[in-house]
Amino acid sequence: MRSNLGKISLLSIVVALVAVACGSSSAPAPEYPPEPTAENGATTVEVERVDVVAQPEPQPPAPPPVMVVAGESTPIEGATPSLRITSPRNGAKVARAPVQVRATLRNWVLGADPGNHVHFIVDNEPYIAVRDLSQPVDLAALVQANLGHELAPGTHVLRVFPSRPQHESVKDAGAFQVLTFVYQTPTPDFTFDVRAPLLTYSRPKGCNVAGQRVMLDFFVTNTTLAADGVKVHYTIDDATSGDITTWAPHYIENLAVGEHRIRLSLVGADGQPIAGAFNDTTRTITVAEVCAPPAPPPGAAAAPGAAAAPGAAAAPAAGHDGH
């Protein structure tokens, strides 16, 4: 029995030594630095949140404003043109077509389109360019061919004056004629005072090429324009307006492509309208990249004096309103 106890004691001692030896050979546990805190002097960095906002697309610049600028009348070379209607006489009655108008024009040579011509304005319709006065002009046929309707029965006013190739009127009282006549039957209660201040709208008209200045032109009779007196008031598209105080061609700049309404009215020194059948006129014009020659009105026939001379070169389409 002592022999067994000795063996057990010896075995216990061996196991204990082995355990001590194994424990002493284990590597020490690694030491890590403490978590940074405000107490041990750590620096705290705060990151601000930034929201990325999409930038809007850049907008195109605003179009330049529409404006009217004064020009200068083209000087007359040589003697001043003079115009006179010889038939029919003022106040005459024409019972049936044709309505023959005879006129004499001096010191102004007419030519094929786009040369010198004469503006015929029936009542207050757009002018018709007449390029030959050597023969009587059939006014009824002229209206049908260029305005697309018959000359209506009634009392009419015809205004005539010479014009340059660019449609600038010759601004001289001796170059302007007014004729009142009756076609078939008179218009009841018709009144027109040929001696009263009168504004005759001429330009602009028809189609005009984009990017080019648009001529604004008119004829004034029986009055004189002045800064402190009678003026021509213009309104463009009910947005741009002003007063013209000199009788000279003016130009509209920066009109956008599309239709535009042009209004001219004769006003006194107080800005009030001057009474008159034709002293307030509105026209609708077009601005386009390319202006094609206008098609003739339905049922239109060639009118004496209105067509270009035989063999004349075709007028350019751009900027040409066909008249």
Short mmCIF file of all heavy atoms in Angstrom, two decimals, residues 53-125:
data_model
loop_
_atom_site.label_atom_id
_atom_site.label_comp_id
_atom_site.label_asym_id
_atom_site.label_seq_id
_atom_site.Cartn_x
_atom_site.Cartn_y
_atom_site.Cartn_z
N VAL A 53 -27.15 70.03 -54.51
CA VAL A 53 -28.34 70.50 -55.22
C VAL A 53 -28.02 70.63 -56.70
O VAL A 53 -27.01 71.23 -57.08
CB VAL A 53 -28.81 71.86 -54.66
CG1 VAL A 53 -30.05 72.35 -55.41
CG2 VAL A 53 -29.09 71.74 -53.17
N ALA A 54 -28.87 70.06 -57.55
CA ALA A 54 -28.66 70.14 -59.00
C ALA A 54 -28.80 71.58 -59.46
O ALA A 54 -29.74 72.28 -59.09
CB ALA A 54 -29.68 69.26 -59.72
N GLN A 55 -27.83 72.06 -60.25
CA GLN A 55 -27.86 73.42 -60.75
C GLN A 55 -28.80 73.52 -61.95
O GLN A 55 -28.82 72.65 -62.80
CB GLN A 55 -26.45 73.86 -61.17
CG GLN A 55 -25.45 73.90 -60.02
CD GLN A 55 -25.87 74.92 -58.97
OE1 GLN A 55 -26.29 76.03 -59.30
NE2 GLN A 55 -25.75 74.53 -57.71
N PRO A 56 -29.61 74.62 -62.04
CA PRO A 56 -30.51 74.77 -63.19
C PRO A 56 -29.74 75.01 -64.47
O PRO A 56 -28.61 75.52 -64.46
CB PRO A 56 -31.35 76.00 -62.81
CG PRO A 56 -30.47 76.76 -61.86
CD PRO A 56 -29.69 75.72 -61.09
N GLU A 57 -30.36 74.62 -65.58
CA GLU A 57 -29.73 74.84 -66.88
C GLU A 57 -29.63 76.35 -67.12
O GLU A 57 -30.55 77.11 -66.80
CB GLU A 57 -30.57 74.21 -67.98
CG GLU A 57 -30.59 72.68 -67.95
CD GLU A 57 -29.23 72.09 -68.31
OE1 GLU A 57 -28.50 72.76 -69.09
OE2 GLU A 57 -28.89 71.01 -67.82
N PRO A 58 -28.51 76.80 -67.69
CA PRO A 58 -28.38 78.24 -67.97
C PRO A 58 -29.44 78.69 -68.95
O PRO A 58 -29.72 78.01 -69.95
CB PRO A 58 -26.97 78.35 -68.56
CG PRO A 58 -26.64 76.97 -69.06
CD PRO A 58 -27.34 76.02 -68.13
N GLN A 59 -30.06 79.84 -68.67
CA GLN A 59 -31.12 80.37 -69.52
C GLN A 59 -30.51 81.21 -70.65
O GLN A 59 -29.52 81.91 -70.45
CB GLN A 59 -32.08 81.23 -68.70
CG GLN A 59 -32.82 80.46 -67.62
CD GLN A 59 -33.70 79.37 -68.21
OE1 GLN A 59 -34.41 79.61 -69.18
NE2 GLN A 59 -33.64 78.18 -67.62
N PRO A 60 -31.12 81.15 -71.86
CA PRO A 60 -30.61 81.99 -72.95
C PRO A 60 -30.83 83.45 -72.62
O PRO A 60 -31.76 83.80 -71.87
CB PRO A 60 -31.47 81.55 -74.15
CG PRO A 60 -32.71 80.96 -73.54
CD PRO A 60 -32.27 80.34 -72.26
N PRO A 61 -30.01 84.33 -73.14
CA PRO A 61 -30.17 85.76 -72.85
C PRO A 61 -31.51 86.26 -73.39
O PRO A 61 -32.03 85.75 -74.39
CB PRO A 61 -28.98 86.41 -73.58
CG PRO A 61 -28.60 85.41 -74.63
CD PRO A 61 -28.88 84.06 -74.06
N ALA A 62 -32.05 87.26 -72.73
CA ALA A 62 -33.32 87.84 -73.17
C ALA A 62 -33.14 88.51 -74.53
O ALA A 62 -32.09 89.08 -74.82
CB ALA A 62 -33.80 88.86 -72.14
N PRO A 63 -34.15 88.42 -75.39
CA PRO A 63 -34.03 89.06 -76.71
C PRO A 63 -33.93 90.57 -76.56
O PRO A 63 -34.48 91.15 -75.60
CB PRO A 63 -35.32 88.64 -77.42
CG PRO A 63 -36.28 88.34 -76.32
CD PRO A 63 -35.46 87.77 -75.21
N PRO A 64 -33.26 91.23 -77.48
CA PRO A 64 -33.16 92.69 -77.39
C PRO A 64 -34.54 93.31 -77.54
O PRO A 64 -35.41 92.77 -78.22
CB PRO A 64 -32.24 93.06 -78.56
CG PRO A 64 -32.34 91.91 -79.51
CD PRO A 64 -32.57 90.70 -78.66
N PRO A 65 -34.77 94.44 -76.91
CA PRO A 65 -36.10 95.06 -76.95
C PRO A 65 -36.43 95.60 -78.34
O PRO A 65 -35.54 96.04 -79.08
CB PRO A 65 -36.00 96.19 -75.93
CG PRO A 65 -34.53 96.52 -75.90
CD PRO A 65 -33.81 95.23 -76.11
N VAL A 66 -37.70 95.57 -78.67
CA VAL A 66 -38.16 96.18 -79.92
C VAL A 66 -38.09 97.69 -79.77
O VAL A 66 -38.49 98.25 -78.74
CB VAL A 66 -39.60 95.73 -80.23
CG1 VAL A 66 -40.15 96.47 -81.45
CG2 VAL A 66 -39.66 94.23 -80.45
N MET A 67 -37.55 98.36 -80.78
CA MET A 67 -37.42 99.81 -80.71
C MET A 67 -37.61 100.41 -82.11
O MET A 67 -37.45 99.72 -83.12
CB MET A 67 -36.07 100.22 -80.13
CG MET A 67 -34.87 99.78 -80.96
SD MET A 67 -33.29 100.30 -80.23
CE MET A 67 -33.33 99.43 -78.66
N VAL A 68 -37.97 101.68 -82.12
CA VAL A 68 -38.13 102.43 -83.36
C VAL A 68 -37.08 103.52 -83.39
O VAL A 68 -36.96 104.31 -82.44
CB VAL A 68 -39.54 103.03 -83.47
CG1 VAL A 68 -39.65 103.93 -84.70
CG2 VAL A 68 -40.60 101.93 -83.53
N VAL A 69 -36.30 103.56 -84.48
CA VAL A 69 -35.24 104.56 -84.62
C VAL A 69 -35.50 105.39 -85.87
O VAL A 69 -36.01 104.89 -86.87
CB VAL A 69 -33.85 103.90 -84.68
CG1 VAL A 69 -33.54 103.16 -83.40
CG2 VAL A 69 -33.74 102.95 -85.87
N ALA A 70 -35.14 106.65 -85.80
CA ALA A 70 -35.37 107.56 -86.91
C ALA A 70 -34.32 107.37 -87.99
O ALA A 70 -33.14 107.09 -87.70
CB ALA A 70 -35.36 109.00 -86.42
N GLY A 71 -34.75 107.49 -89.23
CA GLY A 71 -33.83 107.47 -90.36
C GLY A 71 -33.81 108.84 -91.02
O GLY A 71 -34.28 109.84 -90.45
N GLU A 72 -33.28 108.88 -92.21
CA GLU A 72 -33.23 110.12 -92.98
C GLU A 72 -33.89 109.91 -94.33
O GLU A 72 -33.73 108.85 -94.95
CB GLU A 72 -31.78 110.59 -93.16
CG GLU A 72 -31.08 110.98 -91.87
CD GLU A 72 -29.67 111.52 -92.12
OE1 GLU A 72 -29.26 111.54 -93.31
OE2 GLU A 72 -29.02 111.91 -91.15
N SER A 73 -34.61 110.91 -94.78
CA SER A 73 -35.23 110.82 -96.10
C SER A 73 -34.17 110.81 -97.18
O SER A 73 -33.18 111.57 -97.10
CB SER A 73 -36.19 112.01 -96.31
OG SER A 73 -37.27 111.95 -95.42
N THR A 74 -34.37 109.95 -98.15
CA THR A 74 -33.43 109.89 -99.28
C THR A 74 -33.55 111.17 -100.10
O THR A 74 -34.67 111.56 -100.47
CB THR A 74 -33.74 108.68 -100.16
OG1 THR A 74 -33.69 107.50 -99.35
CG2 THR A 74 -32.74 108.57 -101.30
N PRO A 75 -32.45 111.86 -100.36
CA PRO A 75 -32.53 113.10 -101.14
C PRO A 75 -33.10 112.86 -102.53
O PRO A 75 -32.90 111.80 -103.13
CB PRO A 75 -31.07 113.57 -101.20
CG PRO A 75 -30.36 112.84 -100.10
CD PRO A 75 -31.07 111.54 -99.96
N ILE A 76 -33.82 113.84 -103.02
CA ILE A 76 -34.36 113.79 -104.38
C ILE A 76 -33.31 114.33 -105.34
O ILE A 76 -32.80 115.45 -105.16
CB ILE A 76 -35.66 114.61 -104.49
CG1 ILE A 76 -36.74 114.01 -103.58
CG2 ILE A 76 -36.15 114.66 -105.93
CD1 ILE A 76 -37.99 114.84 -103.51
N GLU A 77 -32.98 113.55 -106.32
CA GLU A 77 -32.00 113.98 -107.32
C GLU A 77 -32.72 114.69 -108.46
O GLU A 77 -33.63 114.13 -109.08
CB GLU A 77 -31.22 112.78 -107.85
CG GLU A 77 -30.39 112.07 -106.78
CD GLU A 77 -29.62 110.90 -107.34
OE1 GLU A 77 -29.74 110.65 -108.56
OE2 GLU A 77 -28.91 110.23 -106.57
N GLY A 78 -32.34 115.92 -108.73
CA GLY A 78 -32.99 116.67 -109.79
C GLY A 78 -34.25 117.36 -109.29
O GLY A 78 -34.41 117.64 -108.10
N ALA A 79 -35.16 117.61 -110.22
CA ALA A 79 -36.38 118.33 -109.91
C ALA A 79 -37.31 117.48 -109.02
O ALA A 79 -37.29 116.24 -109.08
CB ALA A 79 -37.10 118.72 -111.19
N THR A 80 -38.11 118.16 -108.22
CA THR A 80 -39.04 117.47 -107.33
C THR A 80 -40.16 116.83 -108.13
O THR A 80 -40.75 117.48 -109.02
CB THR A 80 -39.65 118.46 -106.33
OG1 THR A 80 -38.60 119.06 -105.58
CG2 THR A 80 -40.60 117.76 -105.38
N PRO A 81 -40.48 115.56 -107.86
CA PRO A 81 -41.57 114.91 -108.60
C PRO A 81 -42.91 115.61 -108.34
O PRO A 81 -43.16 116.14 -107.25
CB PRO A 81 -41.59 113.48 -108.03
CG PRO A 81 -40.23 113.29 -107.44
CD PRO A 81 -39.82 114.64 -106.94
N SER A 82 -43.76 115.61 -109.35
CA SER A 82 -45.11 116.14 -109.20
C SER A 82 -46.09 115.13 -109.79
O SER A 82 -45.80 114.48 -110.80
CB SER A 82 -45.24 117.50 -109.89
OG SER A 82 -45.05 117.37 -111.29
N LEU A 83 -47.26 115.02 -109.15
CA LEU A 83 -48.26 114.02 -109.56
C LEU A 83 -49.62 114.70 -109.63
O LEU A 83 -49.97 115.52 -108.77
CB LEU A 83 -48.29 112.88 -108.54
CG LEU A 83 -49.31 111.77 -108.76
CD1 LEU A 83 -48.97 110.96 -110.01
CD2 LEU A 83 -49.36 110.85 -107.54
N ARG A 84 -50.39 114.33 -110.66
CA ARG A 84 -51.72 114.92 -110.81
C ARG A 84 -52.65 113.88 -111.42
O ARG A 84 -52.33 113.24 -112.43
CB ARG A 84 -51.65 116.16 -111.72
CG ARG A 84 -53.00 116.84 -111.93
CD ARG A 84 -52.80 118.20 -112.59
NE ARG A 84 -54.08 118.83 -112.90
CZ ARG A 84 -54.64 118.82 -114.12
NH1 ARG A 84 -54.02 118.21 -115.13
NH2 ARG A 84 -55.80 119.42 -114.33
N ILE A 85 -53.81 113.69 -110.77
CA ILE A 85 -54.85 112.81 -111.32
C ILE A 85 -55.72 113.65 -112.25
O ILE A 85 -56.29 114.67 -111.84
CB ILE A 85 -55.70 112.19 -110.20
CG1 ILE A 85 -54.83 111.26 -109.32
CG2 ILE A 85 -56.87 111.40 -110.79
CD1 ILE A 85 -55.56 110.67 -108.13
N THR A 86 -55.82 113.22 -113.50
CA THR A 86 -56.58 113.98 -114.50
C THR A 86 -57.97 113.43 -114.74
O THR A 86 -58.84 114.15 -115.27
CB THR A 86 -55.80 114.01 -115.83
OG1 THR A 86 -55.59 112.67 -116.28
CG2 THR A 86 -54.44 114.69 -115.64
N SER A 87 -58.20 112.15 -114.38
CA SER A 87 -59.51 111.55 -114.58
C SER A 87 -59.65 110.33 -113.67
O SER A 87 -58.69 109.59 -113.49
CB SER A 87 -59.69 111.13 -116.05
OG SER A 87 -60.93 110.50 -116.25
N PRO A 88 -60.84 110.14 -113.06
CA PRO A 88 -62.03 111.00 -113.12
C PRO A 88 -61.83 112.28 -112.29
O PRO A 88 -60.93 112.35 -111.48
CB PRO A 88 -63.12 110.11 -112.55
CG PRO A 88 -62.40 109.20 -111.60
CD PRO A 88 -61.05 108.95 -112.22
N ARG A 89 -62.71 113.22 -112.47
CA ARG A 89 -62.63 114.44 -111.68
C ARG A 89 -63.09 114.16 -110.25
O ARG A 89 -63.81 113.19 -110.00
CB ARG A 89 -63.47 115.54 -112.32
CG ARG A 89 -64.94 115.22 -112.40
CD ARG A 89 -65.72 116.35 -113.06
NE ARG A 89 -67.12 115.99 -113.23
CZ ARG A 89 -68.04 116.07 -112.27
NH1 ARG A 89 -67.68 116.49 -111.06
NH2 ARG A 89 -69.30 115.73 -112.51
N ASN A 90 -62.66 114.99 -109.34
CA ASN A 90 -63.02 114.79 -107.94
C ASN A 90 -64.54 114.86 -107.75
O ASN A 90 -65.21 115.78 -108.24
CB ASN A 90 -62.34 115.86 -107.07
CG ASN A 90 -62.37 115.50 -105.61
OD1 ASN A 90 -61.90 114.43 -105.21
ND2 ASN A 90 -62.93 116.38 -104.78
N GLY A 91 -65.09 113.88 -107.04
CA GLY A 91 -66.52 113.82 -106.78
C GLY A 91 -67.32 113.18 -107.89
O GLY A 91 -68.56 113.10 -107.79
N ALA A 92 -66.67 112.71 -108.94
CA ALA A 92 -67.39 112.13 -110.08
C ALA A 92 -68.03 110.80 -109.71
O ALA A 92 -67.61 110.12 -108.77
CB ALA A 92 -66.45 111.95 -111.26
N LYS A 93 -69.06 110.44 -110.49
CA LYS A 93 -69.72 109.15 -110.32
C LYS A 93 -69.38 108.27 -111.51
O LYS A 93 -69.52 108.68 -112.65
CB LYS A 93 -71.23 109.32 -110.20
CG LYS A 93 -71.98 108.00 -110.06
CD LYS A 93 -73.48 108.22 -109.96
CE LYS A 93 -74.23 106.90 -109.87
NZ LYS A 93 -75.70 107.09 -109.77
N VAL A 94 -68.95 107.02 -111.22
CA VAL A 94 -68.66 106.03 -112.25
C VAL A 94 -69.75 104.97 -112.15
O VAL A 94 -69.84 104.27 -111.14
CB VAL A 94 -67.26 105.41 -112.07
CG1 VAL A 94 -66.98 104.39 -113.16
CG2 VAL A 94 -66.19 106.51 -112.05
N ALA A 95 -70.55 104.84 -113.19
CA ALA A 95 -71.73 103.99 -113.11
C ALA A 95 -71.39 102.52 -113.18
O ALA A 95 -72.09 101.67 -112.60
CB ALA A 95 -72.71 104.36 -114.22
N ARG A 96 -70.35 102.16 -113.91
CA ARG A 96 -70.01 100.74 -114.07
C ARG A 96 -68.51 100.61 -114.35
O ARG A 96 -67.85 101.59 -114.72
CB ARG A 96 -70.84 100.13 -115.21
CG ARG A 96 -70.53 100.71 -116.57
CD ARG A 96 -71.40 100.13 -117.67
NE ARG A 96 -72.81 100.43 -117.43
CZ ARG A 96 -73.41 101.57 -117.83
NH1 ARG A 96 -72.68 102.51 -118.47
NH2 ARG A 96 -74.67 101.78 -117.62
N ALA A 97 -68.00 99.38 -114.16
CA ALA A 97 -66.60 99.11 -114.48
C ALA A 97 -66.40 99.17 -116.00
O ALA A 97 -67.35 98.92 -116.75
CB ALA A 97 -66.21 97.74 -113.93
N PRO A 98 -65.18 99.52 -116.44
CA PRO A 98 -63.99 99.77 -115.63
C PRO A 98 -63.98 101.17 -115.02
O PRO A 98 -64.62 102.08 -115.53
CB PRO A 98 -62.86 99.63 -116.65
CG PRO A 98 -63.48 100.07 -117.94
CD PRO A 98 -64.90 99.59 -117.89
N VAL A 99 -63.22 101.28 -113.89
CA VAL A 99 -63.02 102.58 -113.26
C VAL A 99 -61.65 103.07 -113.71
O VAL A 99 -60.62 102.69 -113.13
CB VAL A 99 -63.10 102.47 -111.72
CG1 VAL A 99 -62.91 103.83 -111.08
CG2 VAL A 99 -64.43 101.85 -111.31
N GLN A 100 -61.63 103.85 -114.74
CA GLN A 100 -60.38 104.26 -115.35
C GLN A 100 -59.80 105.48 -114.65
O GLN A 100 -60.45 106.52 -114.54
CB GLN A 100 -60.60 104.59 -116.84
CG GLN A 100 -61.17 103.43 -117.66
CD GLN A 100 -60.10 102.43 -118.07
OE1 GLN A 100 -59.03 102.35 -117.45
NE2 GLN A 100 -60.37 101.66 -119.11
N VAL A 101 -58.56 105.33 -114.17
CA VAL A 101 -57.85 106.43 -113.51
C VAL A 101 -56.68 106.83 -114.39
O VAL A 101 -55.83 105.99 -114.72
CB VAL A 101 -57.36 106.04 -112.11
CG1 VAL A 101 -56.55 107.17 -111.49
CG2 VAL A 101 -58.54 105.68 -111.21
N ARG A 102 -56.65 108.10 -114.74
CA ARG A 102 -55.53 108.64 -115.52
C ARG A 102 -54.76 109.61 -114.64
O ARG A 102 -55.35 110.44 -113.94
CB ARG A 102 -56.03 109.34 -116.78
CG ARG A 102 -56.64 108.40 -117.81
CD ARG A 102 -57.16 109.19 -119.01
NE ARG A 102 -57.59 108.30 -120.09
CZ ARG A 102 -58.81 107.78 -120.17
NH1 ARG A 102 -59.71 108.05 -119.23
NH2 ARG A 102 -59.12 106.99 -121.20
N ALA A 103 -53.44 109.50 -114.69
CA ALA A 103 -52.59 110.37 -113.88
C ALA A 103 -51.33 110.72 -114.65
O ALA A 103 -50.85 109.93 -115.49
CB ALA A 103 -52.23 109.71 -112.56
N THR A 104 -50.80 111.89 -114.37
CA THR A 104 -49.53 112.30 -114.96
C THR A 104 -48.51 112.46 -113.85
O THR A 104 -48.80 113.03 -112.78
CB THR A 104 -49.68 113.64 -115.72
OG1 THR A 104 -50.16 114.64 -114.83
CG2 THR A 104 -50.66 113.48 -116.88
N LEU A 105 -47.33 111.96 -114.09
CA LEU A 105 -46.24 112.01 -113.11
C LEU A 105 -45.01 112.60 -113.78
O LEU A 105 -44.56 112.10 -114.83
CB LEU A 105 -45.93 110.60 -112.59
CG LEU A 105 -44.77 110.46 -111.62
CD1 LEU A 105 -45.03 111.24 -110.33
CD2 LEU A 105 -44.53 108.97 -111.29
N ARG A 106 -44.48 113.63 -113.22
CA ARG A 106 -43.30 114.30 -113.78
C ARG A 106 -42.11 114.14 -112.84
O ARG A 106 -42.26 114.07 -111.61
CB ARG A 106 -43.59 115.78 -114.02
CG ARG A 106 -44.76 116.03 -114.97
CD ARG A 106 -44.95 117.52 -115.23
NE ARG A 106 -46.13 117.79 -116.04
CZ ARG A 106 -46.20 117.67 -117.37
NH1 ARG A 106 -45.11 117.29 -118.05
NH2 ARG A 106 -47.32 117.94 -118.02
N ASN A 107 -40.94 114.10 -113.45
CA ASN A 107 -39.66 114.06 -112.73
C ASN A 107 -39.53 112.81 -111.85
O ASN A 107 -38.86 112.84 -110.81
CB ASN A 107 -39.49 115.31 -111.85
CG ASN A 107 -39.62 116.59 -112.65
OD1 ASN A 107 -39.15 116.67 -113.80
ND2 ASN A 107 -40.27 117.59 -112.09
N TRP A 108 -40.16 111.74 -112.26
CA TRP A 108 -40.05 110.48 -111.51
C TRP A 108 -40.24 109.32 -112.49
O TRP A 108 -41.35 109.09 -112.97
CB TRP A 108 -41.08 110.39 -110.39
CG TRP A 108 -40.80 109.30 -109.39
CD1 TRP A 108 -41.44 108.11 -109.25
CD2 TRP A 108 -39.77 109.31 -108.40
NE1 TRP A 108 -40.89 107.37 -108.24
CE2 TRP A 108 -39.86 108.09 -107.68
CE3 TRP A 108 -38.80 110.23 -108.03
CZ2 TRP A 108 -39.01 107.78 -106.63
CZ3 TRP A 108 -37.96 109.91 -106.98
CH2 TRP A 108 -38.06 108.71 -106.29
N VAL A 109 -39.17 108.64 -112.80
CA VAL A 109 -39.20 107.57 -113.79
C VAL A 109 -39.61 106.27 -113.13
O VAL A 109 -38.96 105.80 -112.19
CB VAL A 109 -37.82 107.41 -114.48
CG1 VAL A 109 -37.86 106.27 -115.48
CG2 VAL A 109 -37.42 108.71 -115.15
N LEU A 110 -40.70 105.70 -113.61
CA LEU A 110 -41.17 104.42 -113.07
C LEU A 110 -40.42 103.27 -113.70
O LEU A 110 -39.94 103.37 -114.85
CB LEU A 110 -42.68 104.26 -113.32
CG LEU A 110 -43.57 105.35 -112.72
CD1 LEU A 110 -45.03 105.07 -113.03
CD2 LEU A 110 -43.35 105.47 -111.22
N GLY A 111 -40.30 102.16 -112.97
CA GLY A 111 -39.54 101.03 -113.48
C GLY A 111 -40.15 99.71 -113.06
O GLY A 111 -41.04 99.65 -112.19
N ALA A 112 -39.66 98.65 -113.68
CA ALA A 112 -40.11 97.30 -113.31
C ALA A 112 -39.68 97.00 -111.87
O ALA A 112 -38.74 97.60 -111.34
CB ALA A 112 -39.52 96.27 -114.28
N ASP A 113 -40.40 96.08 -111.26
CA ASP A 113 -40.10 95.65 -109.90
C ASP A 113 -38.64 95.21 -109.82
O ASP A 113 -38.19 94.42 -110.66
CB ASP A 113 -41.03 94.48 -109.55
CG ASP A 113 -41.03 94.14 -108.09
OD1 ASP A 113 -40.30 94.79 -107.34
OD2 ASP A 113 -41.76 93.21 -107.71
N PRO A 114 -37.83 95.73 -108.92
CA PRO A 114 -38.17 96.56 -107.75
C PRO A 114 -37.84 98.03 -107.90
O PRO A 114 -37.32 98.63 -106.96
CB PRO A 114 -37.32 95.92 -106.66
CG PRO A 114 -36.06 95.53 -107.39
CD PRO A 114 -36.46 95.20 -108.81
N GLY A 115 -38.12 98.63 -109.05
CA GLY A 115 -37.75 100.02 -109.27
C GLY A 115 -38.76 101.01 -108.70
O GLY A 115 -39.64 100.67 -107.91
N ASN A 116 -38.61 102.26 -109.14
CA ASN A 116 -39.55 103.30 -108.71
C ASN A 116 -40.97 102.92 -109.09
O ASN A 116 -41.22 102.29 -110.13
CB ASN A 116 -39.19 104.64 -109.35
CG ASN A 116 -37.91 105.23 -108.81
OD1 ASN A 116 -37.44 104.86 -107.73
ND2 ASN A 116 -37.32 106.16 -109.56
N HIS A 117 -41.92 103.33 -108.27
CA HIS A 117 -43.32 103.01 -108.53
C HIS A 117 -44.20 104.04 -107.84
O HIS A 117 -43.69 105.00 -107.24
CB HIS A 117 -43.66 101.60 -108.04
CG HIS A 117 -43.30 101.35 -106.60
ND1 HIS A 117 -42.00 101.09 -106.18
CD2 HIS A 117 -44.06 101.36 -105.48
CE1 HIS A 117 -41.98 100.93 -104.87
NE2 HIS A 117 -43.22 101.09 -104.41
N VAL A 118 -45.52 103.86 -107.94
CA VAL A 118 -46.48 104.74 -107.32
C VAL A 118 -47.38 103.91 -106.42
O VAL A 118 -47.81 102.82 -106.80
CB VAL A 118 -47.33 105.49 -108.38
CG1 VAL A 118 -48.41 106.32 -107.70
CG2 VAL A 118 -46.44 106.37 -109.24
N HIS A 119 -47.64 104.41 -105.22
CA HIS A 119 -48.54 103.73 -104.30
C HIS A 119 -49.97 104.20 -104.54
O HIS A 119 -50.25 105.40 -104.45
CB HIS A 119 -48.14 103.99 -102.84
CG HIS A 119 -46.95 103.22 -102.41
ND1 HIS A 119 -46.48 103.22 -101.10
CD2 HIS A 119 -46.11 102.41 -103.09
CE1 HIS A 119 -45.41 102.45 -101.01
NE2 HIS A 119 -45.16 101.95 -102.20
N PHE A 120 -50.87 103.24 -104.85
CA PHE A 120 -52.30 103.50 -104.94
C PHE A 120 -52.95 102.94 -103.67
O PHE A 120 -52.84 101.75 -103.40
CB PHE A 120 -52.90 102.81 -106.16
CG PHE A 120 -52.87 103.62 -107.44
CD1 PHE A 120 -51.71 104.27 -107.84
CD2 PHE A 120 -54.00 103.73 -108.23
CE1 PHE A 120 -51.67 105.00 -109.01
CE2 PHE A 120 -53.98 104.47 -109.40
CZ PHE A 120 -52.82 105.12 -109.80
N ILE A 121 -53.62 103.79 -102.91
CA ILE A 121 -54.31 103.36 -101.69
C ILE A 121 -55.80 103.64 -101.87
O ILE A 121 -56.21 104.81 -101.96
CB ILE A 121 -53.77 104.06 -100.45
CG1 ILE A 121 -52.28 103.72 -100.26
CG2 ILE A 121 -54.56 103.66 -99.21
CD1 ILE A 121 -51.63 104.41 -99.08
N VAL A 122 -56.59 102.59 -101.93
CA VAL A 122 -58.04 102.71 -102.07
C VAL A 122 -58.65 102.68 -100.68
O VAL A 122 -58.49 101.68 -99.96
CB VAL A 122 -58.61 101.60 -102.96
CG1 VAL A 122 -60.13 101.75 -103.09
CG2 VAL A 122 -57.95 101.61 -104.33
N ASP A 123 -59.33 103.77 -100.32
CA ASP A 123 -59.88 103.93 -98.97
C ASP A 123 -58.72 103.78 -97.98
O ASP A 123 -57.79 104.56 -98.03
CB ASP A 123 -61.02 102.95 -98.74
CG ASP A 123 -62.16 103.17 -99.75
OD1 ASP A 123 -62.39 104.34 -100.12
OD2 ASP A 123 -62.77 102.19 -100.19
N ASN A 124 -58.73 102.76 -97.11
CA ASN A 124 -57.61 102.62 -96.18
C ASN A 124 -57.04 101.21 -96.24
O ASN A 124 -56.54 100.69 -95.24
CB ASN A 124 -58.04 102.96 -94.76
CG ASN A 124 -56.86 103.44 -93.91
OD1 ASN A 124 -55.92 104.02 -94.43
ND2 ASN A 124 -56.91 103.19 -92.62
N GLU A 125 -57.08 100.60 -97.42
CA GLU A 125 -56.52 99.26 -97.59
C GLU A 125 -55.02 99.36 -97.85
O GLU A 125 -54.49 100.45 -98.13
CB GLU A 125 -57.24 98.55 -98.74
CG GLU A 125 -58.73 98.40 -98.51
CD GLU A 125 -59.30 97.17 -99.19
OE1 GLU A 125 -58.87 96.06 -98.85
OE2 GLU A 125 -60.17 97.35 -100.04
#
